[in-house]
Amino acid sequence: MSKKIIIGNWKMNPLTLKEAEKLFNNVAKNVSGIKKTEIVICPPFLYLERLKKISKKINLGAQDAFWGDAGAYTGEISAEMLYNIGARYVISGHSERRALGESNTDVNKKVRASLSVGLRPVLCVGESARDENHGYFNFIKTQLEECLAGISKNSISKITIAYEPIWAISSTPNRQDATSDDSREMAIFIRKILSDKFGPEASQMRIIYGGSVNEKDAEEFLKNGGVDGLLAGRASLDAKKFVEIVKTCEILSK
Ligand code: PGA
């Protein structure tokens, strides 16, 4: 199994390159001793090239990649362009993009295009609410099956699955806290779906948790949430908090 992974999703922040450099530098200078944890930061596209020059330790990821190779797709950015500029990861199917209309079919095309150029997809799945009849399990199953359709066993070790219950994400109105039990239960379920679909190779895929992760609950999710890492949004905009999450992961990996 690969190293544990901590991913920061900056979303549409910060507003200037100067602030982006400052935030990135403040993380970079405090993670030089980290060896057992993979660190990924996903800034807005237009900061990637500059941030790439600052640190070799931190991998860069994009927050989306379009499925077309090149051509008449106004406003889109292809997976290959992102790879060429230095990104090595890409978030696929984030709930905030799904809310803007992205379907499982779109996400599947994006995951496949990303894999074909060597970008490692971080495929986000997550239900908007939990119902008493546990229908959310089927919802996650469908998301996984449709988003991973047609992907070969050879490439699945490159994919990380991020379980992000929408009801726990910091920007969701009236959000609720998810617990490490919620995470562990779903991680076990996801692992089962993946192994049914891909066989033993599925054990190579990382499953991580995201949804208001912070420097205080990171330890609990990493210890008892059944996951191989975390995806932090809001907490990744605070270098100190993000570094603390990375360090917590490092200590637990020893
Ligand atoms: P959050 O975001 O940590 O701010 O809840 C996580 C995400 O949406 O990826």
Side-chain angles (χ1 to χ4, degrees), residues 90-111:
V90 59
I91 296 174
S92 307
H94 191 280
S95 57
E96 287 154 14
R97 296 208 56 82
R98 292 177 186 266
L100 293 173
E102 202 165 277
S103 67
N104 287 339
T105 310
D106 298 326
V107 177
N108 177 247
K109 281 156 86 177
K110 291 180 171 188
V111 169

Side-chain angles (χ1 to χ4, degrees), residues 107 128 203:
V107 177
S128 55
S203 62

Side-chain angles (χ1 to χ4, degrees), residues 57-122:
K57 180 99 185 185
I58 303 172
N59 281 296
L60 285 171
Q63 297 173 16
D64 185 31
F66 188 61
W67 44 261
D69 300 341
Y73 301 108
T74 302
E76 297 292 356
I77 297 183
S78 78
E80 191 168 353
M81 288 173 184
L82 292 164
Y83 187 91
N84 289 342
I85 216 170
R88 291 295 173 264
Y89 284 83
V90 59
I91 296 174
S92 307
H94 191 280
S95 57
E96 287 154 14
R97 296 208 56 82
R98 292 177 186 266
L100 293 173
E102 202 165 277
S103 67
N104 287 339
T105 310
D106 298 326
V107 177
N108 177 247
K109 281 156 86 177
K110 291 180 171 188
V111 169
R112 292 162 69 151
S114 298
L115 285 171
S116 76
V117 300
L119 277 183
R120 295 167 168 262
V122 178

Side-chain angles (χ1 to χ4, degrees), residues 9 11 94 96 164 169-170 211-213 231-234:
N9 174 12
K11 306 190 179 182
H94 191 280
E96 287 154 14
E164 295 211 301
I169 290 180
S170 66
S212 300
V213 166
L231 175 50
R234 189 168 286 175

Side-chain angles (χ1 to χ4, degrees), residues 177-189:
D177 281 335
T179 64
S180 57
D181 283 347
D182 297 327
S183 163
R184 191 175 60 249
E185 180 188 49
M186 191 55 85
I188 292 168
F189 178 74

